[in-house]
Amino acid sequence: MTPSDPTTVPLPADLLAAEEQMLQACLAAIGSGDGRRWSASLRFENLRLLPVAIRLARGLIAKGQQVVLVWPDAGAAALARRDADDLKESIQDFNQLKRSSGAEPDERLLLAINPTPADYEDFEALCASHAGPVLMLNGRLEDAAVGIGSVARERRKGFVALWRQAYWLQPLEGGALLRCFPDDWRLYRQDPDGYRQLEVLPERPDPDTTAALLAGEDPDSLGQQLSGVDRFLDGLRN
């Protein structure tokens, strides 16, 4: 597999560096005019998302964005107001935002924090009624329990298909995966002396492809294809 861009981009050294990289990627994505539904994700275990969301909102505001932060539930929104007094007038939960929607279109940037499959219908309705861009932080719109049935297929063809990844950083076993708009996806292998960029890919690699590349195997080999078929059949049976 040939990288689409051979330029080596180092991984961010720490969380704050990743957040700065994420901020710049989100600003570039929002300003590109290439769609109004963007997603940014820091896929770290045990990540405290509230301070990350607050810092991202402040960074966006400092760059001239008008931002409204929205949480799926009232409790999380209340905690955010407690921790960010300077932003409290711009923090709402899904129900508050729905009730406050007026006749005039809202062109602000909607920063939605961690919507889950349980929030799918409410979040879809909010996005449909919002005139401005939406940036979803660490959201997850697909439910593994739904599987690959008709509901999941309809969602992928509809609301889920609208979203593009502005930023993604995920540690992996033996590596890491990065997407920083407008760049392609970059896969890194963890070597004894640090992380080394391994591949540049135009699309997010699936788990089988990622595992094969990190293992130094050909992801298009027959074995990998059969492994993918096995995973598909397992999904049908579950």
Side-chain angles (χ1 to χ4, degrees):
M1 187 173 295
T2 303
S4 57
D5 177 3
T7 305
T8 298
V9 175
L11 283 171
D14 53 32
L15 178 60
L16 289 180
E19 289 183 31
E20 176 61 27
Q21 191 180 53
M22 178 171 66
L23 171 63
Q24 298 305 322
C26 292
L27 288 167
I30 294 163
S32 69
D34 191 10
R36 297 189 303 118
R37 302 288 182 263
W38 294 97
S39 177
S41 297
L42 293 169
R43 294 295 174 182
F44 299 116
E45 286 189 19
N46 303 317
L47 176 67
R48 292 184 63 241
L49 193 57
L50 176 56
V52 173
I54 291 171
R55 287 192 291 265
L56 176 59
R58 287 171 175 159
L60 291 166
I61 291 168
K63 294 297 183 179
Q65 294 289 330
Q66 289 186 302
V67 178
V68 54
L69 290 86
V70 60
W71 269 261
D73 64 277
L79 287 175
R81 292 188 199 95
R82 182 200 66 187
D83 290 355
D85 188 67
D86 57 316
L87 300 175
K88 65 181 181 182
E89 298 301 323
S90 300
I91 294 173
Q92 299 187 45
D93 61 58
F94 280 9
N95 286 330
Q96 285 178 312
L97 186 62
K98 183 166 58 176
R99 290 195 301 267
S100 64
S101 296
E104 294 297 320
D106 190 347
E107 299 284 353
R108 294 176 295 176
L109 170 62
L110 186 66
L111 178 56
I113 313 302
N114 196 33
T116 70
D119 312 306
Y120 185 94
E121 284 78 13
D122 288 341
F123 186 46
E124 183 180 24
L126 280 181
C127 290
S129 64
H130 188 71
V134 182
L135 176 60
M136 176 173 58
L137 178 62
N138 273 39
R140 185 168 59 87
L141 298 181
E142 295 193 77
D143 189 350
V146 173
I148 54 177
S150 60
V151 173
R153 286 195 296 270
E154 288 303 314
R155 287 185 174 186
R156 290 191 188 103
K157 286 192 297 183
F159 185 55
V160 174
L162 298 175
W163 296 85
R164 299 186 59 196
Q165 203 74 45
Y167 190 79
W168 179 280
L169 180 57
Q170 178 185 14
L172 304 168
E173 185 176 353
L177 183 63
L178 171 70
R179 200 275 162 121
C180 184
F181 184 90
D183 288 348
D184 286 330
W185 293 80
R186 297 175 185 271
L187 181 64
Y188 299 78
R189 183 184 64 218
Q190 187 176 17
D191 291 338
D193 58 346
Y195 285 90
R196 180 167 284 103
Q197 183 174 297
L198 189 63
E199 289 282 349
V200 182
L201 307 118
E203 303 290 340
R204 178 182 167 186
D206 60 43
D208 287 329
T209 299
T210 300
L213 290 170
L214 289 175
E217 301 171 357
D218 180 1
D220 297 322
S221 68
L222 178 60
Q224 286 299 318
Q225 292 178 35
L226 291 175
S227 174
V229 171
D230 288 341
R231 289 164 63 92
F232 176 76
L233 292 176
D234 285 342
L236 284 176
R237 287 190 287 265
N238 292 335

